[in-house]
Short mmCIF file of all heavy atoms in Angstrom, two decimals:
data_model
loop_
_atom_site.label_atom_id
_atom_site.label_comp_id
_atom_site.label_asym_id
_atom_site.label_seq_id
_atom_site.Cartn_x
_atom_site.Cartn_y
_atom_site.Cartn_z
N ALA A 208 88.62 69.41 106.66
CA ALA A 208 88.61 70.03 105.33
C ALA A 208 87.48 69.50 104.47
O ALA A 208 86.90 70.24 103.67
CB ALA A 208 89.95 69.82 104.65
N GLU A 209 87.15 68.23 104.62
CA GLU A 209 86.13 67.62 103.77
C GLU A 209 84.72 67.76 104.33
O GLU A 209 83.76 67.92 103.58
CB GLU A 209 86.45 66.13 103.55
CG GLU A 209 87.57 65.90 102.57
CD GLU A 209 87.28 66.48 101.19
OE1 GLU A 209 86.26 66.09 100.58
OE2 GLU A 209 88.05 67.33 100.73
N TYR A 210 84.58 67.71 105.64
CA TYR A 210 83.25 67.65 106.22
C TYR A 210 82.79 68.94 106.92
O TYR A 210 81.59 69.09 107.18
CB TYR A 210 83.17 66.49 107.22
CG TYR A 210 83.40 65.15 106.57
CD1 TYR A 210 84.55 64.40 106.84
CD2 TYR A 210 82.48 64.63 105.66
CE1 TYR A 210 84.77 63.18 106.23
CE2 TYR A 210 82.69 63.40 105.05
CZ TYR A 210 83.83 62.69 105.33
OH TYR A 210 84.05 61.48 104.71
N ASP A 211 83.72 69.84 107.21
CA ASP A 211 83.33 71.03 107.97
C ASP A 211 83.66 72.34 107.25
O ASP A 211 83.52 73.42 107.84
CB ASP A 211 83.99 71.02 109.35
CG ASP A 211 83.48 69.87 110.21
OD1 ASP A 211 82.25 69.76 110.38
OD2 ASP A 211 84.30 69.08 110.69
N LEU A 212 84.08 72.25 106.01
CA LEU A 212 84.41 73.45 105.25
C LEU A 212 83.22 74.41 105.17
O LEU A 212 83.38 75.63 105.21
CB LEU A 212 84.86 73.05 103.83
CG LEU A 212 85.31 74.18 102.90
CD1 LEU A 212 86.55 74.87 103.45
CD2 LEU A 212 85.58 73.64 101.50
N HIS A 213 82.01 73.86 105.09
CA HIS A 213 80.81 74.69 104.96
C HIS A 213 80.54 75.53 106.20
O HIS A 213 79.72 76.46 106.16
CB HIS A 213 79.58 73.80 104.68
CG HIS A 213 79.21 72.92 105.83
ND1 HIS A 213 79.90 71.74 106.10
CD2 HIS A 213 78.28 73.05 106.80
CE1 HIS A 213 79.37 71.18 107.19
NE2 HIS A 213 78.40 71.95 107.61
N CYS A 214 81.21 75.23 107.30
CA CYS A 214 81.00 75.99 108.54
C CYS A 214 81.77 77.32 108.55
O CYS A 214 81.55 78.15 109.44
CB CYS A 214 81.42 75.16 109.75
SG CYS A 214 80.43 73.66 110.00
N LEU A 215 82.65 77.51 107.58
CA LEU A 215 83.42 78.75 107.51
C LEU A 215 82.56 79.88 106.94
O LEU A 215 81.56 79.65 106.28
CB LEU A 215 84.65 78.54 106.62
CG LEU A 215 85.70 77.54 107.10
CD1 LEU A 215 86.80 77.42 106.06
CD2 LEU A 215 86.27 77.94 108.45
N SER A 216 83.00 81.10 107.17
CA SER A 216 82.33 82.26 106.57
C SER A 216 82.59 82.22 105.05
O SER A 216 83.49 81.53 104.58
CB SER A 216 82.89 83.56 107.15
OG SER A 216 84.23 83.76 106.71
N SER A 217 81.82 83.00 104.30
CA SER A 217 81.98 83.00 102.84
C SER A 217 83.39 83.46 102.45
O SER A 217 83.98 82.94 101.51
CB SER A 217 80.93 83.90 102.19
OG SER A 217 80.98 85.21 102.72
N GLU A 218 83.93 84.42 103.18
CA GLU A 218 85.28 84.91 102.89
C GLU A 218 86.32 83.83 103.18
O GLU A 218 87.24 83.61 102.37
CB GLU A 218 85.57 86.16 103.71
CG GLU A 218 86.94 86.77 103.42
CD GLU A 218 87.23 88.00 104.27
OE1 GLU A 218 86.34 88.42 105.03
OE2 GLU A 218 88.34 88.53 104.16
N GLN A 219 86.20 83.18 104.32
CA GLN A 219 87.14 82.12 104.67
C GLN A 219 87.04 80.97 103.68
O GLN A 219 88.05 80.40 103.25
CB GLN A 219 86.86 81.62 106.09
CG GLN A 219 87.18 82.62 107.18
CD GLN A 219 86.64 82.18 108.53
OE1 GLN A 219 85.62 81.48 108.62
NE2 GLN A 219 87.31 82.58 109.60
N HIS A 220 85.81 80.62 103.32
CA HIS A 220 85.56 79.54 102.37
C HIS A 220 86.24 79.84 101.05
O HIS A 220 86.89 78.96 100.44
CB HIS A 220 84.05 79.39 102.18
CG HIS A 220 83.64 78.15 101.47
ND1 HIS A 220 83.63 78.05 100.09
CD2 HIS A 220 83.22 76.94 101.92
CE1 HIS A 220 83.22 76.85 99.73
NE2 HIS A 220 82.98 76.15 100.82
N ALA A 221 86.12 81.07 100.58
CA ALA A 221 86.73 81.46 99.30
C ALA A 221 88.26 81.36 99.36
O ALA A 221 88.90 80.93 98.39
CB ALA A 221 86.32 82.89 98.94
N LEU A 222 88.84 81.74 100.49
CA LEU A 222 90.30 81.66 100.64
C LEU A 222 90.79 80.22 100.60
O LEU A 222 91.80 79.90 99.99
CB LEU A 222 90.72 82.34 101.95
CG LEU A 222 90.60 83.86 102.00
CD1 LEU A 222 90.80 84.38 103.41
CD2 LEU A 222 91.61 84.50 101.04
N ILE A 223 90.05 79.32 101.25
CA ILE A 223 90.42 77.91 101.23
C ILE A 223 90.28 77.34 99.83
O ILE A 223 91.14 76.57 99.36
CB ILE A 223 89.56 77.10 102.24
CG1 ILE A 223 89.85 77.53 103.68
CG2 ILE A 223 89.81 75.59 102.06
CD1 ILE A 223 91.28 77.33 104.13
N LEU A 224 89.21 77.69 99.13
CA LEU A 224 89.02 77.20 97.77
C LEU A 224 90.14 77.68 96.84
O LEU A 224 90.55 76.95 95.93
CB LEU A 224 87.66 77.62 97.23
CG LEU A 224 86.45 76.90 97.81
CD1 LEU A 224 85.17 77.36 97.10
CD2 LEU A 224 86.59 75.38 97.70
N THR A 225 90.64 78.88 97.07
CA THR A 225 91.77 79.38 96.29
C THR A 225 93.00 78.51 96.51
O THR A 225 93.71 78.15 95.56
CB THR A 225 92.08 80.84 96.67
OG1 THR A 225 90.95 81.66 96.35
CG2 THR A 225 93.30 81.35 95.91
N LEU A 226 93.26 78.16 97.77
CA LEU A 226 94.40 77.28 98.08
C LEU A 226 94.20 75.91 97.44
O LEU A 226 95.14 75.33 96.87
CB LEU A 226 94.55 77.13 99.59
CG LEU A 226 95.04 78.35 100.37
CD1 LEU A 226 95.01 78.06 101.87
CD2 LEU A 226 96.43 78.75 99.93
N ARG A 227 92.99 75.39 97.51
CA ARG A 227 92.72 74.07 96.95
C ARG A 227 92.92 74.09 95.43
O ARG A 227 93.48 73.15 94.87
CB ARG A 227 91.31 73.62 97.30
CG ARG A 227 90.95 72.30 96.62
CD ARG A 227 89.72 71.66 97.17
NE ARG A 227 89.31 70.54 96.34
CZ ARG A 227 88.82 69.41 96.79
NH1 ARG A 227 88.69 69.23 98.10
NH2 ARG A 227 88.46 68.44 95.98
N ARG A 228 92.44 75.13 94.77
CA ARG A 228 92.60 75.20 93.31
C ARG A 228 94.07 75.30 92.92
O ARG A 228 94.48 74.74 91.89
CB ARG A 228 91.81 76.39 92.76
CG ARG A 228 90.30 76.15 92.79
CD ARG A 228 89.54 77.25 92.08
NE ARG A 228 88.11 77.10 92.32
CZ ARG A 228 87.37 77.91 93.05
NH1 ARG A 228 87.93 78.96 93.64
NH2 ARG A 228 86.08 77.69 93.22
N ARG A 229 94.85 76.00 93.72
CA ARG A 229 96.30 76.06 93.46
C ARG A 229 96.90 74.67 93.57
O ARG A 229 97.77 74.28 92.77
CB ARG A 229 96.98 76.99 94.47
CG ARG A 229 96.84 78.48 94.14
CD ARG A 229 97.48 79.32 95.23
NE ARG A 229 98.86 78.92 95.48
CZ ARG A 229 99.52 79.20 96.60
NH1 ARG A 229 98.93 79.87 97.59
NH2 ARG A 229 100.78 78.80 96.75
N TYR A 230 96.45 73.91 94.55
CA TYR A 230 96.94 72.54 94.72
C TYR A 230 96.49 71.66 93.56
O TYR A 230 97.28 70.89 93.00
CB TYR A 230 96.46 71.96 96.04
CG TYR A 230 96.86 70.52 96.23
CD1 TYR A 230 98.20 70.18 96.40
CD2 TYR A 230 95.92 69.49 96.21
CE1 TYR A 230 98.59 68.85 96.55
CE2 TYR A 230 96.31 68.18 96.36
CZ TYR A 230 97.64 67.86 96.53
OH TYR A 230 98.02 66.55 96.67
N GLU A 231 95.23 71.76 93.17
CA GLU A 231 94.70 70.95 92.08
C GLU A 231 95.44 71.22 90.77
O GLU A 231 95.57 70.34 89.92
CB GLU A 231 93.21 71.23 91.89
CG GLU A 231 92.34 70.66 93.00
CD GLU A 231 90.88 71.09 92.91
OE1 GLU A 231 90.56 71.88 91.97
OE2 GLU A 231 90.07 70.65 93.75
N GLU A 232 95.97 72.44 90.64
CA GLU A 232 96.66 72.81 89.40
C GLU A 232 97.91 71.95 89.19
O GLU A 232 98.29 71.67 88.04
CB GLU A 232 97.04 74.30 89.45
CG GLU A 232 97.29 74.92 88.09
CD GLU A 232 96.09 74.82 87.15
OE1 GLU A 232 94.94 74.87 87.62
OE2 GLU A 232 96.34 74.68 85.94
N TYR A 233 98.54 71.51 90.26
CA TYR A 233 99.70 70.62 90.11
C TYR A 233 99.27 69.31 89.44
O TYR A 233 99.96 68.78 88.57
CB TYR A 233 100.31 70.30 91.48
CG TYR A 233 101.17 71.40 92.05
CD1 TYR A 233 100.69 72.25 93.04
CD2 TYR A 233 102.48 71.58 91.62
CE1 TYR A 233 101.47 73.26 93.58
CE2 TYR A 233 103.28 72.58 92.15
CZ TYR A 233 102.76 73.42 93.12
OH TYR A 233 103.57 74.42 93.64
N LEU A 234 98.12 68.79 89.84
CA LEU A 234 97.60 67.56 89.26
C LEU A 234 97.17 67.79 87.81
O LEU A 234 97.46 66.97 86.93
CB LEU A 234 96.42 67.05 90.10
CG LEU A 234 95.85 65.68 89.76
CD1 LEU A 234 96.93 64.60 89.82
CD2 LEU A 234 94.70 65.34 90.70
N VAL A 235 96.50 68.92 87.56
CA VAL A 235 96.05 69.26 86.21
C VAL A 235 97.24 69.33 85.25
O VAL A 235 97.22 68.75 84.16
CB VAL A 235 95.27 70.59 86.21
CG1 VAL A 235 95.06 71.11 84.79
CG2 VAL A 235 93.94 70.43 86.91
N GLU A 236 98.28 70.07 85.65
CA GLU A 236 99.45 70.23 84.78
C GLU A 236 100.14 68.91 84.51
O GLU A 236 100.58 68.64 83.38
CB GLU A 236 100.43 71.21 85.43
CG GLU A 236 99.95 72.65 85.45
CD GLU A 236 100.89 73.57 86.20
OE1 GLU A 236 101.95 73.08 86.67
OE2 GLU A 236 100.57 74.77 86.32
N THR A 237 100.21 68.06 85.52
CA THR A 237 100.86 66.75 85.35
C THR A 237 100.07 65.87 84.39
O THR A 237 100.65 65.22 83.50
CB THR A 237 101.00 66.05 86.71
OG1 THR A 237 101.79 66.87 87.58
CG2 THR A 237 101.69 64.69 86.56
N ILE A 238 98.76 65.85 84.52
CA ILE A 238 97.92 65.05 83.63
C ILE A 238 97.99 65.59 82.20
O ILE A 238 98.04 64.82 81.23
CB ILE A 238 96.45 65.04 84.13
CG1 ILE A 238 96.35 64.30 85.46
CG2 ILE A 238 95.53 64.40 83.09
CD1 ILE A 238 96.75 62.84 85.41
N GLU A 239 98.03 66.90 82.04
CA GLU A 239 98.15 67.48 80.70
C GLU A 239 99.45 67.05 80.04
O GLU A 239 99.48 66.69 78.85
CB GLU A 239 98.11 69.01 80.78
CG GLU A 239 96.72 69.57 80.99
CD GLU A 239 96.68 71.08 81.00
OE1 GLU A 239 97.74 71.70 81.24
OE2 GLU A 239 95.60 71.64 80.78
N GLN A 240 100.55 67.06 80.79
CA GLN A 240 101.84 66.65 80.24
C GLN A 240 101.86 65.15 79.95
O GLN A 240 102.47 64.70 78.98
CB GLN A 240 102.96 67.03 81.20
CG GLN A 240 103.17 68.54 81.32
CD GLN A 240 104.17 68.90 82.39
OE1 GLN A 240 104.92 68.05 82.86
NE2 GLN A 240 104.18 70.16 82.79
N LEU A 241 101.18 64.40 80.79
CA LEU A 241 101.16 62.95 80.63
C LEU A 241 100.33 62.53 79.43
O LEU A 241 100.70 61.60 78.70
CB LEU A 241 100.61 62.30 81.91
CG LEU A 241 100.76 60.80 82.08
CD1 LEU A 241 102.21 60.37 81.99
CD2 LEU A 241 100.18 60.38 83.41
N THR A 242 99.22 63.19 79.21
CA THR A 242 98.31 62.80 78.12
C THR A 242 98.56 63.59 76.84
O THR A 242 98.11 63.19 75.77
CB THR A 242 96.84 63.01 78.54
OG1 THR A 242 96.62 64.41 78.80
CG2 THR A 242 96.52 62.19 79.78
N GLY A 243 99.23 64.74 76.96
CA GLY A 243 99.45 65.58 75.79
C GLY A 243 98.19 66.29 75.33
O GLY A 243 98.10 66.73 74.19
N LYS A 244 97.22 66.42 76.22
CA LYS A 244 95.95 67.06 75.87
C LYS A 244 95.59 68.13 76.89
O LYS A 244 95.84 67.98 78.08
CB LYS A 244 94.83 66.01 75.82
CG LYS A 244 95.07 64.92 74.78
CD LYS A 244 93.95 63.91 74.78
CE LYS A 244 94.23 62.80 73.76
NZ LYS A 244 93.16 61.78 73.74
N PRO A 245 95.00 69.24 76.41
CA PRO A 245 94.58 70.29 77.35
C PRO A 245 93.43 69.82 78.23
O PRO A 245 92.69 68.90 77.86
CB PRO A 245 94.12 71.43 76.41
CG PRO A 245 93.73 70.74 75.15
CD PRO A 245 94.66 69.57 75.02
N THR A 246 93.31 70.45 79.36
CA THR A 246 92.29 70.04 80.33
C THR A 246 91.01 70.85 80.15
O THR A 246 91.02 72.07 80.30
CB THR A 246 92.82 70.21 81.76
OG1 THR A 246 94.04 69.49 81.88
CG2 THR A 246 91.83 69.69 82.78
N SER A 247 89.93 70.15 79.85
CA SER A 247 88.62 70.80 79.70
C SER A 247 88.03 71.07 81.07
O SER A 247 88.53 70.59 82.09
CB SER A 247 87.68 69.89 78.90
OG SER A 247 87.41 68.71 79.64
N ALA A 248 86.94 71.83 81.09
CA ALA A 248 86.26 72.12 82.35
C ALA A 248 85.75 70.83 83.01
O ALA A 248 85.83 70.66 84.23
CB ALA A 248 85.08 73.07 82.11
N THR A 249 85.29 69.89 82.16
CA THR A 249 84.80 68.60 82.70
C THR A 249 85.93 67.83 83.34
O THR A 249 85.78 67.25 84.41
CB THR A 249 84.18 67.76 81.57
OG1 THR A 249 83.11 68.48 80.98
CG2 THR A 249 83.67 66.43 82.10
N ARG A 250 87.10 67.85 82.68
CA ARG A 250 88.23 67.12 83.22
C ARG A 250 88.74 67.77 84.50
O ARG A 250 89.19 67.08 85.42
CB ARG A 250 89.33 67.06 82.18
CG ARG A 250 89.77 65.62 81.86
CD ARG A 250 90.68 65.57 80.67
NE ARG A 250 89.91 65.47 79.45
CZ ARG A 250 90.32 65.97 78.29
NH1 ARG A 250 91.46 66.61 78.22
NH2 ARG A 250 89.59 65.84 77.23
N ARG A 251 88.70 69.09 84.57
CA ARG A 251 89.11 69.78 85.80
C ARG A 251 88.21 69.38 86.97
O ARG A 251 88.69 69.15 88.08
CB ARG A 251 89.07 71.30 85.61
CG ARG A 251 90.27 71.85 84.87
CD ARG A 251 90.20 73.36 84.74
NE ARG A 251 91.40 73.84 84.07
CZ ARG A 251 92.54 74.14 84.68
NH1 ARG A 251 92.63 74.02 86.00
NH2 ARG A 251 93.59 74.57 84.01
N ALA A 252 86.92 69.30 86.69
CA ALA A 252 85.98 68.88 87.73
C ALA A 252 86.28 67.45 88.16
O ALA A 252 86.19 67.10 89.35
CB ALA A 252 84.54 68.99 87.22
#
């Protein structure tokens, strides 16, 4: 997932990134609740 993702087709790559962003959202929501602050684009990155 970390070293060979670039070997996928653009369509496959996009599907994996969608799954990853869904997963990252769990972390984003938890940090927002923990800090009481909305998540900026910089913080999401």
Side-chain angles (χ1 to χ4, degrees):
E209 284 301 302
Y210 298 111
D211 295 306
L212 183 63
H213 67 281
C214 296
L215 296 177
S216 70
S217 56
E218 182 181 357
Q219 291 169 330
H220 192 276
L222 289 170
I223 295 299
L224 287 184
T225 297
L226 290 175
R227 175 167 170 142
R228 288 188 189 111
R229 281 177 53 200
Y230 176 68
E231 289 173 358
E232 202 59 33
Y233 282 102
L234 188 57
V235 168
E236 290 175 2
T237 301
I238 294 298
E239 284 183 339
Q240 292 173 15
L241 192 57
T242 62
K244 299 179 182 180
T246 304
S247 65
T249 301
R250 236 170 273 150
R251 280 182 178 273

